Amino acid sequence: MGDQNIRPHWRRSSFSTAGVDNCVEVAFVDHEVWVRDSHFVHLPTLSFTPRTWSEFLAKLGSPTTP
């Protein structure tokens, strides 16, 4: 979980639009990638290494295999 004393610059996902309940925000802080639900900003964030985050994004763009 990210350090709550840092004020990150959060960016909302381009897939998050008004009226949609699945809004995700991402912030790049030092050597971590923080992710949170924009509707529950008071809850803890998820923290990823840049490498893990890149691998996750690559998997999103890959076809699903059984």
Side-chain angles (χ1 to χ4, degrees):
M1 179 174 71
D3 182 348
Q4 298 302 318
N5 295 321
I6 296 174
R7 296 271 189 203
H9 173 72
W10 291 100
R11 296 188 300 178
R12 185 171 287 196
S13 167
S14 61
F15 292 102
S16 300
T17 58
V20 177
D21 290 336
N22 55 347
C23 298
V24 175
E25 294 178 321
V26 176
F28 300 94
V29 181
D30 294 325
H31 300 288
E32 295 181 327
V33 180
W34 294 356
V35 180
R36 71 179 182 183
D37 184 324
S38 64
H39 293 296
F40 301 100
V41 298
H42 60 284
L43 295 177
T45 62
L46 296 174
S47 177
F48 298 90
T49 65
R51 180 178 178 169
T52 303
W53 182 247
S54 294
E55 291 171 355
F56 170 72
L57 293 179
K59 291 283 186 187
L60 287 178
S62 299
T64 304
T65 56

